Amino acid sequence: MNLPAPYLLLVALLVVGALGLVLRWAFTGDERGRDYGLLREIAKVPSRTAAQVVEERLRTVGVRATTVPAEDGEGLRVLVFPADERAAIAALLDD
């Protein structure tokens, strides 16, 4: 079957476009359920100021922490590595 060049180009573009759509669908995840790898949530706070207080408290005991938006859109989550989880919880519960 000999197709003229313009038809072959059109078929090739359609195949590449369809493949792009399938790959986009396959690799697009739910934005609300973000995965932060090994990090574990140790606190959920209502504001940026509260998150900074928690991070400072953890920094004083040598625990690295990061803050990300909460999945429900209200507040922030404070995350630490699993190795620091117990120390972080103890530091926050110790008054």
Side-chain angles (χ1 to χ4, degrees):
M1 176 166 32
N2 267 342
L3 293 175
Y7 289 118
L8 289 176
L9 181 62
L10 180 63
V11 169
L13 289 174
L14 288 173
V15 169
V16 169
L19 182 60
L21 289 174
V22 168
L23 289 174
R24 183 175 178 160
W25 170 77
F27 290 107
T28 300
D30 183 17
E31 292 297 320
R32 291 176 292 137
R34 291 189 175 168
D35 180 24
Y36 292 98
L38 294 175
L39 296 175
R40 305 255 175 96
E41 179 179 335
I42 57 147
K44 184 175 177 186
V45 294
S47 68
R48 172 63 59 190
T49 304
Q52 290 172 344
V53 169
V54 170
E55 286 182 1
E56 182 60 34
R57 175 74 180 235
L58 294 175
R59 198 172 305 124
T60 61
V61 295
V63 174
R64 293 179 299 168
T66 189
T67 303
V68 297
E71 291 176 357
D72 60 6
E74 296 186 19
L76 300 160
R77 299 167 54 203
V78 180
L79 308 173
V80 298
F81 286 104
D84 296 330
E85 186 175 13
R86 287 181 187 251
I89 292 171
L92 293 178
L93 292 177
D94 184 33
D95 281 328

